[in-house]
Structures are given as C-alpha cells and as structure tokens.
Amino acid sequence: MLETFHVQDPAALRAIAHPLRQRILMELAVLGHARAADLAQATGEPANSVSFHLRVLAKVGMIVEAPEHARDRRDRVWKNVAQSYAVEPGTPDAVRHVVRPALAWAEETFRRGSETGSREDRILALSTLVLTAEQAATMSRELAELLERWTARSLEEGRAAPQERRETYQALAVLAPRDLPPADEATGAGTEDPGA
C-alpha cells in the first residue's frame, strides 16, 4: 500500500472532490476493506449509488479490488491503494475541482450556522493575526500536526468500534498573508479597482 496517493490528473481531482467519495475512502481506511453493501450501510446511501462511486474511484486508481477477502468470484470487495490522499497546492485544476467546492461548503456551513446558532460539534472561526514569517511557519506546522493527530485518532477509534455511528466532518484550514493580491493583479491581467 502506498503511503500517499498524490492526486494530480483532472479525473482524479474530480473523483476526490465528491463528498461521498471522500467518505467512501475514509470508511475503507477504517474498515480496511468493504463491499458496496457495507459502505452503503456505513454512509446511509443506496448501494447502487455507492457502487457507482466505487467504480469512479477504481477507474482513477484510488481503490482496487481485494479478491483475498471475497467469498467467491462474483463478490466484489474494495480497499484503498494508499494510507492518505493529497492534493498539492498548485496542481492544475485543483482550484476548480477541490478548492471551490470546499469554499462553497464552508460558506453554506457558515450560513446554516448563522441560522441555527452555535453547536459544540463545530467551529466557524476567522481570526486576524499579526505574525512574523517564523511565527506563521510555526503555526502552520502546529495546525498540520493537530489535523494529522485527529485524523489518526478518528481512524484508530473507528477501527476499534466500526459499528459506532459517525458522521463525516471536514476541517478547512488556511493560513496565509491577508494582503495577497487577487490572481489577475498578480499576473497584471486586471487593473480595475474591485471596490469601484
């Protein structure tokens, strides 16, 4: 099994951008291997829908069949090809297929949070900090370590109690200088004042 599958081509980006496919990859990480029916039960989605998404993930090489766990030749069991999946910043089309949907999700989460009030199982935070480059690098490492620690913990606890009801949560962390110019300004393509 690969340690990390680097998602680079457009088909793989489209595949991993879908929330149900992300959930399927996480469920396979917890279960080790599973059939469409197992994943349908875990996700609450119809088995035929899960089967379709499994085929998409298999086509781009993110999952493979695990015949060693099958009951017979007709039994299709799936497993991940990697321990983790990563989309590197700067990957062509990553903004369109991964970042924009994630930002739309964050916007909808924020909107719904404003309507329903605060909940203990989520945080919606936007903080402005004045940092040196060294402090920002330290904070970036600490955020990455926190996310890695919770990813490992959720997988470990999921494997220990696979029948326990869990939901898919996502964390979107961005730490960067706030005064970055828009892309068209950075390339010299646009000179209009966006506030005009």
Side-chain angles (χ1 to χ4, degrees):
M1 177 180 279
L2 296 172
E3 184 173 328
T4 303
F5 182 105
H6 294 280
V7 181
Q8 296 173 327
D9 68 83
L13 285 168
R14 285 190 300 275
I16 204 165
H18 194 284
L20 180 54
R21 293 182 200 134
Q22 293 171 12
R23 175 79 186 269
I24 288 169
L25 292 172
M26 287 304 297
E27 291 294 342
L28 284 172
V30 168
L31 299 170
H33 60 273
R35 295 165 181 80
D38 304 324
L39 294 165
Q41 183 177 2
T43 61
E45 295 290 326
N48 61 345
S49 174
V50 170
S51 292
F52 167 79
H53 291 293
L54 285 167
R55 288 192 300 275
V56 171
L57 290 168
K59 187 174 182 179
V60 297
M62 291 183 185
I63 64 170
V64 292
E65 286 195 57
E68 66 275 17
H69 299 290
R71 292 183 286 251
D72 55 43
R73 287 183 180 177
R74 295 174 49 202
D75 189 26
R76 297 188 84 176
V77 182
W78 301 92
K79 64 182 178 181
N80 286 337
V81 299
Q83 294 175 21
S84 64
Y85 298 82
V87 178
E88 302 297 330
T91 300
D93 287 335
V95 169
R96 178 168 44 131
H97 295 301
V98 178
V99 177
R100 285 188 188 143
L103 293 175
W105 162 79
E107 181 180 342
E108 181 63 16
T109 300
F110 191 84
R111 186 188 66 73
R112 288 186 185 182
S114 298
E115 292 173 357
T116 60
S118 65
R119 286 180 48 174
E120 290 185 5
D121 68 337
R122 61 195 65 192
I123 181 172
L124 304 168
L126 177 61
S127 299
T128 302
L129 303 94
V130 180
L131 304 171
T132 65
E134 185 177 323
Q135 289 171 324
T138 300
M139 185 174 177
S140 291
R141 280 192 304 275
E142 289 178 7
L143 285 169
E145 289 167 3
L146 177 70
L147 292 171
E148 287 173 16
R149 189 168 64 248
W150 272 96
T151 298
R153 178 179 172 177
S154 70
L155 288 173
E156 184 179 307
E157 292 180 5
R159 289 174 181 143
Q163 302 307 321
E164 188 171 330
R165 174 83 173 109
R166 298 176 191 278
E167 289 186 51
T168 302
Y169 282 74
Q170 288 195 313
L172 175 62
V174 179
L175 178 67
R178 184 59 178 102
D179 59 350
L180 288 175
D184 58 350
E185 288 181 24
T187 60
T191 56
E192 297 88 25
D193 180 3

